[in-house]
Amino acid sequence: MKSFNLKWVYLLFIIFIAVYIITYFFNNPWIEIFELKTLDLRYRIRGEKQITPEVLVIAIDEKSLTKMSTEFNDEWPWNREHYARMLIKLFENDTKAVGFDVSFTTPSESNVVNGKSRDDALLAAMLRKFNNVVLGSYLTVEKDNYSDYNEEYKAFLKNNYYYNNYSIKIKNPEYLSIFQSLEAYKIIPPIREFSSLVPSSTYEIGELDPDGVARRIPLLFKETWSYEEGISTGFFPHMDLMLYALYKGYDLNNIVLDPKNYILELENEKIKIDKNGTYLLNYYGEGKNTFDTISFYDFVYGNDYEDYDFEDKIVILGYSATAKGLYDLRVTPFSNNEPGVYIHATAVENLINEDRLYRLNFFYSTLILLLLLTISLIFSSFKKIKVKLFSFAIPVSYIFISYFLFKNNIWIDTFYPVITSLIIPAVDTGQAILKESREKKQIKSFFFKYVPDFVAEKLLKEGKTELGGERKEVVLLMSDIVGFTEKSEKLGPEKVVQFLNYYLSEMAVIIRNKYYGTIDKFIGDLIMAIFGAPIEFGDEVDRAISCAIDMRKKLKEINIELKNQGFDFEINSGIGVHYGEVVIGNIGADFRMDYTCIGDTVNTTSRIESLTRSLDEWLIVSEEIVKRSKKYNFEYIGDHKVKGKEKPLKLYRVKEGELDDA
């Protein structure tokens, strides 16, 4: 059996490693999707991280859209005069740099005089004065889409070349073939009146993860058009990288890409990127809870933020979640509707604080997987199940290690290593348990013949398979058919057996399955049941009474069935219920034992049950039952002398109103 187990676990070991490697090299996303969800779970467990942000968001929100409409009769897109006013207030308050997560790709159509917009002229004047600004824009991804533009617009775009001043220099260009950054055919830059004054770049979030969540952002992109035209290298920094460079005082004209080592160089600083040029974000929480957010209207035309400290802040203007009709929402680990401006804010904040999330690469992830599965194999070589169970501590410990590293900004793959290191011990331990189960089967089959199923399970679990016993207070229920001896004499032996099997089976279902009583014995038509042994639930008294009532109700159904089966009589039963101490355990010989009880309580219960005939009651309970019942009310029947007791017993019936027509 050991050899068989090891064959299985070795096979699983090989399969798991092979699947991991194959899915990686063939870019199959199914493992990655689950891994990404475990990353999100780690974010949720960690919760939102409190920081003192260097980035501030000015929100184009519902309030601003409404106020601009009602106060200035200015519908979206707004006159650009308002943005000029925003820049004046920001830089007068010593703001470090400003990013626009909105685009100005066409001339304004407001306040046009002699073919020129005064709004554009005003904003251009402010950009000339306050040039620590990055204007965002969008990309035309496909060449075919660019070809659809008319010749006049193409000429307009071709003449707007100033963004090429910020193209990235290339180190080790021979490695560009293995570098796969975000690529588009043409950036659509802001109008040249703006792009000639301040840097501009794309604000695109880039390609989402396989599950549609934004967890990374491209720090650069490639424009095919400028490369084909021979104007520049075709590589440009992302808006977020430009804002960071302005914050640090770096020269935007001297950004270098090293595709060999996946590094962006900004003067003396080196920023690590992946082979796609993306930067893994470390989310602090939901954007609105992380970054100070000011309504555009409140800031430009209100006085609520005169005391706010804007000094050396990076400010990003963008749409909020309430900006109806201006959809810019993404899914993040903390939100299903996160405005894109907060993703940009997170990227810039990560760069400033050097707070990015680092993911362990495929090579080291594979080594970790090999280590975990090897340890699982070692545990599988042991025979004892208790030792094998320790192997389940491997994935549990790994989960804690994974979370600890995550809190320190290191992401190690968790889903696949945990699942596979769980499956191997699960299969191995499962096979060992099945083997042990087969060995116990013969012992079990013996006990199940004589005691209820759950009693047998308890006895086997506790190893109580020999003679023995204990003193225990229990509730006993005895039920006997009234006048059955007389009725049975009129039946043949086959009919008697047929009747008893049917009657006792129906009653056993109620006692065992519904009220978890232990059927002590059948003596002819008499049933003796125990409540409170071997397992206690704490409500034994009320369960016994409820059981008796349901047994009484069942008699009505039984009498109907007896008539259908051809029996020409109806039956009635008497039930006695009593509480007291008994000696209980496995009682019998080595070759035959029963889980049963003995003692005065058994005899007293039998006497109480027999009084149901003379007192014309179907259910009689003792005073001990009445004292302990929490559910039922009782009526006093009287004191009655029984055999074996010097003092008479105080006996009771359940009040008629609580029997539900039993």
Side-chain angles (χ1 to χ4, degrees):
M1 185 66 183
K2 178 181 176 181
S3 175
F4 179 73
N5 282 355
L6 289 178
K7 285 180 181 178
W8 266 106
V9 294
Y10 282 136
L11 180 60
L12 287 173
F13 179 91
I14 295 169
I15 290 173
F16 290 151
I17 296 296
V19 168
Y20 189 66
I21 294 173
I22 290 170
T23 54
Y24 175 80
F25 283 106
F26 284 89
N27 292 317
N28 190 300
W30 75 269
I31 291 178
E32 180 68 1
I33 288 174
F34 286 107
E35 175 59 32
L36 292 170
K37 294 307 178 186
T38 68
L39 176 64
D40 292 350
L41 180 60
R42 278 169 268 184
Y43 271 117
R44 296 299 177 92
I45 293 172
R46 187 203 71 187
E48 295 192 335
K49 192 175 180 181
Q50 297 301 315
I51 63 169
T52 302
E54 297 298 321
V55 180
L56 167 72
V57 171
I58 292 184
I60 300 171
D61 55 2
E62 184 178 26
K63 178 181 181 180
S64 298
L65 292 171
T66 302
K67 284 288 189 179
M68 297 294 278
S69 175
T70 57
E71 298 290 332
F72 297 99
N73 196 28
D74 194 357
E75 303 295 337
W76 185 263
W78 297 330
N79 296 340
R80 290 169 184 171
E81 167 197 354
H82 306 298
Y83 303 116
R85 293 178 181 275
M86 181 191 77
L87 290 177
I88 293 170
K89 292 191 73 171
L90 284 174
F91 285 106
E92 283 181 349
N93 283 279
D94 298 321
T95 297
K96 191 79 171 181
V98 178
F100 280 76
D101 190 18
V102 295
S103 57
F104 305 115
T105 56
T106 57
S108 174
E109 296 178 358
S110 63
N111 296 326
V112 177
V113 177
N114 298 324
K116 297 287 185 179
S117 169
R118 290 184 175 180
D119 284 348
D120 284 349
L122 177 60
L123 181 54
M126 292 305 102
L127 292 174
R128 183 178 290 106
K129 182 177 182 180
F130 308 114
N131 56 12
N132 260 25
V133 176
V134 180
L135 299 179
S137 195
Y138 59 91
L139 303 172
T140 298
V141 177
E142 301 294 338
K143 184 175 182 178
D144 289 344
N145 295 334
Y146 177 78
S147 300
D148 289 339
Y149 293 144
N150 59 50
E151 294 303 320
E152 182 181 356
Y153 188 60
K154 287 180 184 178
F156 172 79
L157 291 176
K158 187 173 183 179
N159 193 41
N160 191 354
Y161 51 80
Y162 294 99
Y163 67 93
N164 279 278
N165 295 334
Y166 305 99
S167 64
I168 296 175
K169 298 177 174 62
I170 307 296
K171 179 192 288 187
N172 298 314
E174 64 273 19
Y175 288 91
L176 279 175
S177 59
I178 62 173
F179 192 73
Q180 302 171 345
S181 64
L182 171 67
E183 187 170 350
Y185 185 73
K186 184 74 174 72
I187 185 172
I188 308 300
I191 59 176
R192 62 178 292 155
E193 287 84 353
F194 300 160
S195 64
S196 62
L197 300 172
V198 295
S200 62
S201 185
T202 184
Y203 46 51
E204 298 283 353
I205 300 295
E207 186 177 356
L208 303 176
D209 282 338
D211 59 347
V213 178
R215 298 186 184 85
R216 63 194 76 233
I217 202 159
L219 290 188
L220 73 159
F221 69 98
K222 181 180 180 181
E223 183 195 58
T224 308
W225 179 84
S226 59
Y227 180 75
E228 289 179 348
E229 294 288 324
I231 299 174
S232 69
T233 63
F235 287 93
F236 296 93
H238 190 274
M239 178 185 78
D240 298 344
L241 183 64
M242 283 185 155
L243 284 171
Y244 169 66
L246 289 177
Y247 178 85
K248 298 286 284 189
Y250 294 146
D251 182 2
L252 292 179
N253 300 109
N254 195 30
I255 298 176
V256 179
L257 167 65
D258 180 358
K260 177 182 178 180
N261 299 300
Y262 302 140
I263 286 174
L264 280 170
E265 297 179 3
L266 287 78
E267 297 187 7
N268 294 325
E269 182 177 351
K270 295 181 178 181
I271 300 174
K272 190 72 175 176
I273 52 178
D274 64 14
K275 64 180 181 180
N276 300 312
T278 61
Y279 182 85
L280 189 59
L281 298 174
N282 183 7
Y283 282 97
Y284 304 105
E286 195 170 354
K288 64 182 181 181
N289 301 328
T290 302
F291 299 99
D292 291 343
T293 304
I294 301 175
S295 170
F296 178 89
Y297 179 85
D298 287 344
F299 174 71
V300 178
Y301 296 106
N303 299 313
D304 294 341
Y305 296 94
E306 289 184 351
D307 296 328
Y308 187 89
D309 185 11
F310 290 91
E311 186 175 358
D312 291 334
K313 294 283 187 182
I314 294 286
V315 176
I316 304 178
L317 172 71
Y319 309 117
S320 78
T322 63
K324 295 179 180 177
L326 306 178
Y327 185 86
D328 184 27
L329 302 177
R330 301 289 188 274
V331 179
T332 71
F334 284 100
S335 174
N336 291 328
N337 293 287
E338 185 76 294
V341 65
Y342 289 123
I343 298 175
H344 297 303
T346 299
V348 177
E349 192 72 38
N350 283 175
L351 287 165
I352 291 172
N353 297 326
E354 298 182 3
D355 206 18
R356 67 176 296 170
L357 189 62
Y358 292 90
R359 184 177 187 178
L360 216 61
N361 64 31
F362 173 73
F363 175 75
Y364 290 109
S365 296
T366 305
L367 287 182
I368 290 174
L369 180 63
L370 281 167
L371 176 63
L372 292 178
L373 296 185
T374 300
I375 296 173
S376 296
L377 284 180
I378 293 172
F379 276 104
S380 69
S381 65
F382 291 93
K383 290 183 178 180
K384 291 185 178 180
I385 293 178
K386 289 183 179 179
V387 177
K388 292 178 181 293
L389 290 176
F390 278 107
S391 61
F392 288 100
I394 299 169
V396 174
S397 300
Y398 184 76
I399 289 172
F400 282 103
I401 293 171
S402 168
Y403 179 67
F404 172 79
L405 291 174
F406 169 73
K407 291 191 73 175
N408 288 276
N409 297 346
I410 298 173
W411 171 16
I412 60 172
D413 286 7
T414 301
F415 167 73
Y416 196 73
V418 167
I419 290 298
T420 53
S421 61
L422 272 175
I423 291 175
I424 286 182
V427 170
D428 179 56
T429 306
Q431 289 178 337
I433 290 172
L434 286 174
K435 179 188 176 186
E436 187 176 282
S437 176
R438 282 193 292 268
E439 292 172 351
K440 289 183 176 180
K441 191 173 181 180
Q442 292 179 330
I443 300 174
K444 280 190 175 185
S445 64
F446 172 78
F447 284 106
F448 277 113
K449 290 180 182 178
Y450 301 105
V451 296
D453 295 356
F454 75 96
V455 176
E457 294 284 359
K458 183 175 177 65
L459 293 174
L460 288 167
K461 183 178 180 181
E462 297 179 357
K464 296 180 180 178
T465 58
E466 298 179 358
L467 300 180
E470 62 179 328
R471 292 189 179 275
K472 195 173 183 67
E473 291 184 335
V474 298
V475 178
L476 296 182
L477 179 150
M478 286 193 183
S479 173
D480 194 17
I481 297 176
V482 178
F484 178 71
T485 302
E486 182 181 334
K487 291 179 175 65
S488 64
E489 289 176 350
K490 299 177 182 179
L491 302 173
E494 294 84 359
K495 283 287 186 180
V496 172
V497 172
Q498 178 187 350
F499 165 75
L500 283 176
N501 287 342
Y502 169 66
Y503 168 76
L504 296 175
S505 296
E506 293 295 315
M507 292 303 172
V509 169
I510 295 172
I511 296 169
R512 289 166 52 115
N513 299 350
K514 187 171 182 180
Y515 293 101
Y516 308 114
T518 302
I519 296 178
D520 183 297
K521 59 176 66 72
F522 298 125
I523 305 176
D525 61 298
L526 181 140
I527 304 172
M528 176 176 165
I530 306 169
F531 293 85
I535 299 173
E536 294 183 56
F537 295 94
D539 62 344
E540 280 69 35
V541 169
D542 289 328
R543 276 194 294 118
I545 296 172
S546 298
C547 180
I549 292 172
D550 273 12
M551 291 169 69
R552 179 69 174 180
K553 292 177 181 178
K554 192 67 178 179
L555 278 182
K556 296 179 181 180
E557 298 177 21
I558 290 174
N559 282 325
I560 294 172
E561 183 61 27
L562 289 176
K563 186 176 181 180
N564 294 337
Q565 291 184 16
F567 292 94
D568 59 355
F569 60 82
E570 292 186 349
I571 60 172
N572 190 16
S573 67
I575 302 176
V577 183
H578 181 46
Y579 176 92
E581 186 181 78
V582 297
V583 175
I584 192 166
N586 292 329
I587 299 176
D590 289 335
F591 64 89
R592 168 70 183 268
M593 62 180 73
D594 289 320
Y595 187 79
T596 186
C597 63
I598 57 175
D600 180 65
T601 300
V602 179
N603 298 330
T604 302
T605 307
S606 177
R607 304 289 184 262
I608 293 172
E609 186 277 324
S610 65
L611 285 174
T612 57
R613 281 77 164 166
S614 59
L615 297 178
D616 194 24
E617 298 286 347
W618 70 269
L619 172 62
I620 298 178
V621 303
S622 68
E623 186 177 24
E624 297 300 320
I625 293 294
V626 173
K627 289 178 181 178
R628 290 168 174 79
S629 176
K630 298 178 182 178
K631 181 178 179 181
Y632 293 97
N633 296 310
F634 303 89
E635 294 177 346
Y636 178 61
I637 297 175
D639 289 9
H640 293 271
K641 181 88 173 153
V642 297
K643 184 178 179 181
K645 290 286 185 181
E646 292 183 4
K647 294 181 180 180
L649 296 176
K650 294 182 181 296
L651 301 179
Y652 299 80
R653 68 167 71 91
V654 179
K655 278 189 176 182
E656 290 294 330
E658 302 191 31
L659 297 179
D660 298 327
D661 300 324

